[in-house]
Amino acid sequence: MSPTTFLNEDGKARYNRLSYFTRKAFPEDLPRKIASSYAVPIDCVCAVMLSILSSAIGNSTEVMVRQGWNEPVSLWLMVVGTSGSGKSPFMAKLLEPVIKHELEASRTYNTQYKDYERQMADSEVNRKNKKELVDIFNPPKKPTRTHYYVTDTTQEALFGALATSPRGLLLFQDEISGLVASFGQYKKGGNNDKQKFIEMWNGSPVKIQRVSRPDVFIYDTGIVVLGGIQPMAMPSAFNFSSFVDGFLPRFLFSEVDGCPNGFSFQTITKRDMQVWSDMVNYCYSLPLEFDEKNVVNHRIIEFSEKALSVFSTFHDDLKDKGFDLSDQAQVFVPKIVSYCVRIAGVLHVINKVKSKNIKKETVLASIEICQYFLGEAMAMLGSFEKSSELSEFERECLRAVIQLNS
């Protein structure tokens, strides 16, 4: 089968492409149990797992395809499903280990801040009473708050969190349409919020200039965006410009609809979740190294010679056959190529390979996964075709719902 054969004859995605997940990347029972318990596709469960793990790896690791071409491992994902399809509950379950890290970081910061306030108060008392010499050049150091997880945040607050989180963080939105609708919400002139997200996906440095407060410069953002969206809301949330500027193609898609939603007797035990927590915690444990300017020195992993040969064939084949796609579909091809590199990096890390060389088998697995995601993107485009069938009243209702979600 050609590396770019991602659709069946009826135009639907080849869902069997995610067999690799349960075979190697994850313990076999874990995705199956979660999928059965929440009545969602196992491939969708695995896709969310990959996205979460990419956030936990964060800025610790980059993949070098060749000199001059490095990719972060961040995987942005939209879980597409109608209201009541079960997309939110299973994602909330998988986010539990991340939220535990966020809770621990919050407790640590609160303790450190109380100590800081006490030291500041003691210094002030000593200064006023002149009981001892106060070193005004070395005041108590104000603690910083590390973040792992944010949701429903303004862009300014998001950049503030990123500035003190060198690993990066996970931005979770239950409804991503609400995030898109918030772009420019607090701006009097112009809207560059979307552009900032485009730059962050690229791994580019971001600078925020503020009038009344110091500027914020983030060299490595390391952000992962994860959330759900309803198919009918997509055309209203993402207009034609989202294809042109490349914002929409920066997301991977996984559809959650289509599973039986009857009562499930499948349980998720503490032992099951411990297996998942161990995977997440391992990724968070990857060390961050800094240079003399306090910039993260990424651990660089790269393709082996055989892996690079396989990837180059996929790259050329996909680029060549992309010309047969529609204009809207073609814009997804370059991003799928990048995601092939990123997914290979995540698979390499979670399989705990000691070597810095990514194996040929890992790249082949990543190609299979990208075939699935490209098929899902093509299926997602059907939502835009169906939008033309909506009445003007229905479209206005959708816009109102999206505004409420923001």
Side-chain angles (χ1 to χ4, degrees):
M1 179 179 294
S2 166
T4 51
T5 305
F6 50 86
L7 299 177
N8 286 317
E9 291 180 359
D10 60 357
K12 294 183 179 179
R14 292 181 179 272
Y15 287 93
N16 64 340
R17 282 292 169 240
L18 290 191
S19 60
Y20 176 86
F21 282 122
T22 54
R23 189 168 71 249
K24 281 191 175 181
F26 300 119
E28 186 170 354
D29 279 350
L30 183 61
R32 179 188 60 80
K33 285 184 176 181
I34 293 176
S36 175
S37 180
Y38 291 94
V40 294
I42 188 172
D43 48 7
C44 194
V45 173
C46 294
V48 172
M49 285 179 162
L50 264 187
S51 181
I52 292 173
L53 290 171
S54 77
S55 173
I57 297 169
N59 286 323
S60 70
T61 305
E62 275 192 354
V63 184
M64 183 174 71
V65 181
R66 52 170 167 72
Q67 290 289 338
W69 182 1
N70 284 28
E71 290 280 352
V73 296
S74 53
L75 310 178
W76 292 19
L77 177 69
M78 284 193 218
V79 177
V80 183
T82 55
S83 179
S85 60
K87 58 183 182 294
S88 298
F90 92 89
M91 284 195 287
K93 189 67 177 176
L94 290 173
L95 283 168
E96 286 182 1
V98 180
I99 294 174
K100 286 181 181 179
H101 278 270
E102 182 67 26
L103 178 61
E104 184 62 31
S106 177
R107 289 172 174 171
T108 299
Y109 173 77
N110 290 338
T111 300
Q112 292 174 343
Y113 196 81
K114 287 179 181 179
D115 290 342
Y116 164 75
E117 289 183 316
R118 177 183 55 78
Q119 293 173 27
M120 289 293 290
D122 290 345
S123 297
E124 181 66 16
V125 169
N126 290 334
R127 186 186 66 80
K128 288 182 177 180
N129 295 337
K130 299 182 180 179
K131 289 184 177 180
E132 61 182 69
L133 185 64
V134 178
D135 188 353
I136 61 173
F137 296 104
N138 292 287
K141 186 177 181 181
K142 189 175 182 179
T144 57
R145 169 75 156 85
T146 300
H147 299 264
Y148 297 89
Y149 166 92
V150 295
T151 183
D152 293 329
T153 181
T154 65
Q155 190 164 119
E156 185 172 350
L158 172 63
F159 289 131
L162 285 168
T164 59
S165 306
R167 182 176 295 274
L169 53 79
L170 177 68
L171 170 59
F172 177 74
Q173 287 283 140
D174 193 57
E175 286 290 339
I176 287 183
S177 57
L179 171 68
V180 178
S182 71
F183 287 171
Q185 191 171 359
Y186 303 99
K187 303 286 181 68
K188 290 183 179 179
N191 170 23
N192 66 347
D193 289 352
K194 185 199 286 189
Q195 184 60 39
K196 286 291 188 293
F197 271 85
I198 290 173
E199 293 169 3
M200 288 191 289
W201 184 92
N202 295 338
S204 304
V206 174
K207 182 179 179 180
I208 310 300
Q209 293 178 290
R210 301 184 291 190
V211 176
S212 58
R213 282 177 288 174
D215 296 344
V216 175
F217 179 76
I218 307 168
Y219 188 81
D220 285 306
T221 52
I223 187 173
V224 169
V225 183
L226 170 66
I229 192 165
Q230 297 184 42
M232 292 182 65
M234 292 198 71
S236 295
F238 299 96
N239 55 26
F240 180 73
S241 67
S242 293
F243 289 89
V244 176
D245 58 28
F247 179 62
L248 185 60
R250 279 168 166 76
F251 285 89
L252 297 170
F253 302 90
S254 187
E255 187 177 5
V256 76
D257 289 326
C259 280
N261 56 2
F263 180 81
S264 173
F265 288 91
Q266 179 65 61
T267 58
I268 308 289
T269 66
K270 288 184 178 180
R271 184 175 180 180
D272 294 327
M273 288 305 297
Q274 188 59 51
V275 173
W276 170 235
S277 294
D278 289 345
M279 293 188 71
V280 176
N281 294 340
Y282 169 75
C283 293
Y284 277 128
S285 73
L286 297 172
L288 289 175
E289 298 180 359
F290 300 87
D291 63 15
E292 65 279 0
K293 296 181 180 179
N294 207 33
V295 174
V296 175
N297 271 332
H298 308 283
R299 173 179 178 254
I300 302 297
I301 56 179
E302 55 188 317
F303 290 161
S304 67
E305 186 177 343
K306 291 181 179 180
L308 185 59
S309 176
V310 170
F311 172 75
S312 65
T313 300
F314 169 74
H315 173 280
D316 295 345
D317 195 17
L318 187 60
K319 292 274 188 176
D320 180 54
K321 294 189 176 180
F323 290 111
D324 296 330
L325 301 174
S326 67
D327 291 341
Q328 284 184 318
Q330 283 184 23
V331 297
F332 287 88
V333 171
K335 301 303 177 286
I336 286 293
V337 169
S338 293
Y339 270 126
C340 184
V341 178
R342 298 180 181 205
I343 292 171
V346 175
L347 295 177
H348 179 88
V349 170
I350 65 178
N351 281 315
K352 301 181 180 180
V353 180
K354 293 182 179 180
S355 170
K356 292 185 178 181
N357 290 328
I358 300 175
K359 297 179 180 179
K360 169 186 173 182
E361 292 75 18
T362 304
V363 175
L364 286 171
S366 180
I367 290 172
E368 290 184 348
I369 294 167
C370 285
Q371 290 170 343
Y372 161 78
F373 281 126
L374 190 51
E376 290 291 88
M378 299 305 103
M380 176 277 302
L381 289 176
S383 300
F384 289 84
E385 295 176 1
K386 293 177 182 178
S387 68
S388 61
E389 302 172 6
L390 298 178
S391 67
E392 183 59 30
F393 174 74
E394 289 172 323
R395 283 193 286 270
E396 285 298 324
C397 288
L398 279 175
R399 294 189 190 101
V401 170
I402 292 171
Q403 288 295 333
L404 287 173
N405 285 334
S406 68

